[in-house]
Amino acid sequence: MLPYALTIFLSAFLLFLVQPLIAKQILPWFGGSASVWNTCMLFFQSLLLAGYAYADRSVQGLSAKRQVGLHAVLLALSLLSLPIIASEAWKPQGDEDPILQILGLLLATIGLPYVLLSTTTPLIQAWYWRSFRQAVPYRLFALSNAASLAALLGYPTLIEPFFGGRETAQIWSVAYAMFALLCVWVGLKSLRQTEPSASITPSEQTGSAPQPALSVRLAWVLLSALGSATLLAVTNHLTQNISSVPFLWVMPLALYLVSFIICFDRPSWYHRGFWGSVAALSLPAMVYFADSLALFQVSGLYAAGLFVVCMFCHGELASLKPHPSRLTGFFLAMSLGGALGALSIAIAAPLLLDGYYELHLTVAGVAAMLLWRSLQAAWFWRLGSGGLLIGVLVLINQQLDDYRLGIREMERNFYGVVRTRDYPSEPGFRYMLHGAINHGGQLQGEPFEMMPATYYSPGSGYGRLFEAMPEGPKRVGLIGLGAGALAAYAKEGDQWVIYEINPAVVRLAKKEFSFLQRMKAPYEIVLGDGRLALEREAPRQYDVLAVDAFSGDSIPMHLLTKEAMAAYVKHLAPGGVIVFQATNRFVDLQPVAKRLADAFGLQAVLIEDSPDFKTGPERWYLNTDQIVMTKNKALFEHPAFKEAKQIKLRDDVGVFTDDHSNLLRILKH
């Protein structure tokens, strides 16, 4: 058992360690979007399907010697992919399809090693079954999930805080080479240990175990798909409102894996009556709080709901597992379901849905599956499951009506959902929503249209900065367009460059708001990630560079690293100013910004604006925090900055880099 178990453990550990590792490598290239992880998960699930299909066809169609020989050759070829460091040639220029770009990048960087790692669990279990005919392969499957869990929990807690991304990738590559050697040795060992009866043809080996019914095989796929879709829907909800970082990727995935471990290693712990009853409470609650921004209060609910759904799906899967001689087909069906679940969230949802409805639809799918699995149970279970499905559908309908209430325009793409909505007030007010967060707005009608409201009022950091700066033409760079409200500060003779990664934001800013049309200075829009554009461009000598890019309420952490700051400083004119938008419900950006300012010799102050107007146009001045940093110390002597606050350093928060950052340290409690 030991060599087989060790090979499976190492392969599963490497398989799940590479997921956050490679995703974090490429995250800064695609705007730090939450969809980067979803696209990566689609890739991982699809290649897992390819690996399981390979294992199934190999076991069913090749002799034992040919199985081992083919696998050894492929393992040798995969070593040519090492080390697994993404090539700079894959960096987007701004006009590519980000999903296709990410999938191509991942395929070129880790494609073959990932496929071969994914084959290990079903293939090694099949080799073990062929050699010993002992009904323990499913225990090996639980072991692989335990190794996966160790990798996921270890990455954000033990690896990411202490090792750089390139360093970790190199260590991973060495460990993968060791795995390849171990896998070949186990294959040769299995040939020597194969019983004489195992020399019969593959079809004869499996002939004693009847093919499971079509309904059973369909259940394998659907149950796996629902678990995978719920995982990604919950993860997407968290990352689009907090930040797309490894910790928030791996924690939901860890709960997903724990349910696999329990259900396949301790199947007696799953009882449909208990978990079905818990699901009946969890599913309506997940729908009811789906649009809540009190994420710290309801994140426990999401985590519990995800775990309950996964326990139900994986418990039902474990109860339907076939004879070990059919295990490769079982794993193939599960991996197909996982890929379909990832496909539905990463690709189908952005293409087919104009809003964030996938969590609602996934919950409805789980309720329908619970009813299906209860059809053979007692009448009260059938009645209860049917009532649950009807209740969930009614609640979803109410939620979606509220989501679309008063919406003028709505667009969805890789970077999220952007909506515009009118608020009935005097004067009228139109604002842009990215996710559930206000991304600026405009008062309607003369003389209010060019009045800088929301986060850009005269008392905000931006308002005070433009008041304090000397008269004369200015060069202004803006990362993150939103509704375009900051353009209200443009004056004749200025030159503005606006960096915006989301083309939907640009379209709606021009169509629904008039800031850009009415601004007094010419402007240029650079489509693509602002940091990447600044890295490519020659120095522009900006007098003001505003970093105001959010996705929902999520912080693109790649805009807050030492490497990003170097790009900003490169483009500053002497005495130029950098402004960070620090308004956020969940993340405290002040200590991060202070460390960056100190690292580059800039003085930084915090402007807190808490206007309290109840009526009139000023009611749309919103609470905001902005950090202003510059080497021009005389700027802060202007009366506009008399209320500026100094930012205190925190010993537990260092300089964030692309390799090292710690979201947990800066979460607000």
Side-chain angles (χ1 to χ4, degrees), residues 27-340:
L27 187 66
W29 298 358
F30 298 93
S33 169
S35 294
V36 171
W37 177 247
N38 280 352
T39 307
C40 288
M41 285 298 294
L42 171 63
F43 174 85
F44 300 144
Q45 294 279 24
S46 299
L47 261 65
L48 187 68
L49 172 61
Y52 281 11
Y54 161 82
D56 181 61
R57 290 298 89 204
S58 177
V59 169
Q60 301 297 330
L62 297 177
S63 66
K65 184 177 293 186
R66 288 183 177 179
Q67 290 175 39
V68 174
L70 174 62
H71 207 62
V73 170
L74 292 175
L75 285 167
L77 289 175
S78 70
L79 297 178
L80 299 176
S81 301
L82 305 181
I84 54 158
I85 298 174
S87 169
E88 297 280 327
W90 285 98
K91 276 189 175 183
Q93 299 299 308
D95 56 352
E96 304 90 344
D97 183 304
I99 293 178
L100 294 178
Q101 187 83 352
I102 291 171
L103 294 177
L105 183 161
L106 293 173
L107 187 63
T109 306
I110 63 169
L112 187 55
Y114 195 91
V115 168
L116 294 175
L117 285 170
S118 67
T119 68
T120 304
T121 295
L123 197 60
I124 295 295
Q125 289 184 65
W127 289 352
Y128 183 89
W129 167 254
R130 184 187 61 220
S131 298
F132 299 103
R133 301 288 175 165
Q134 295 182 15
V136 295
Y138 289 111
R139 299 293 298 277
L140 293 175
F141 180 62
L143 175 67
S144 74
N145 283 309
S148 304
L149 181 63
L152 288 175
L153 296 180
Y155 183 79
T157 57
L158 301 176
I159 297 175
E160 186 186 22
F162 305 107
F163 298 94
R166 295 180 69 90
E167 183 181 6
T168 306
Q170 290 166 349
I171 295 172
W172 187 97
S173 300
V174 172
Y176 177 82
M178 296 172 59
F179 154 77
L181 293 174
L182 180 61
C183 192
V184 172
W185 176 67
V186 168
L188 296 174
K189 181 181 177 65
S190 71
L191 291 178
R192 292 194 299 269
Q193 291 180 329
T194 299
E195 297 178 356
S197 61
S199 62
I200 60 177
T201 65
S203 61
E204 292 173 327
Q205 290 183 33
T206 59
S208 59
Q211 181 74 277
L214 178 61
S215 61
V216 173
R217 285 177 283 154
L218 179 62
W220 294 346
V221 174
L222 293 178
L223 286 164
S224 180
L226 285 171
S228 173
T230 307
L231 165 66
L232 290 188
V234 170
T235 305
N236 192 42
H237 185 75
L238 294 174
T239 54
Q240 73 179 340
N241 285 301
I242 300 179
S243 186
S244 187
V245 291
F247 174 75
L248 291 178
W249 298 337
V250 304
M251 293 310 294
L253 188 52
L255 293 172
Y256 176 87
L257 286 175
V258 167
S259 69
F260 256 123
I261 295 170
I262 293 174
C263 293
F264 281 86
D265 194 51
R266 292 289 185 270
S268 60
W269 290 14
Y270 174 75
H271 186 273
R272 184 187 300 163
F274 173 78
W275 291 103
S277 300
V278 177
L281 299 175
S282 301
L283 296 179
M286 293 175 72
V287 173
Y288 185 79
F289 290 102
D291 293 327
S292 173
L293 287 176
L295 289 186
F296 286 137
Q297 287 72 27
V298 301
S299 57
L301 168 66
Y302 291 131
L306 172 63
F307 182 71
V308 169
V309 168
C310 291
M311 279 297 299
F312 166 69
C313 293
H314 299 155
E316 293 296 310
L317 270 174
S319 70
L320 296 173
K321 63 182 183 288
H323 185 271
S325 63
R326 295 287 184 182
L327 64 86
T328 55
F330 177 60
F331 289 136
L332 179 60
M334 282 201 306
S335 63
L336 174 60
L340 290 175

Side-chain angles (χ1 to χ4, degrees), residues 590 594 603-606 636 643-649:
Q590 296 179 33
K594 175 63 174 173
Q603 183 178 348
V605 298
L606 172 68
F636 295 138
E643 297 177 4
K645 297 182 178 180
Q646 298 300 313
I647 304 172
K648 295 181 180 180
L649 286 174

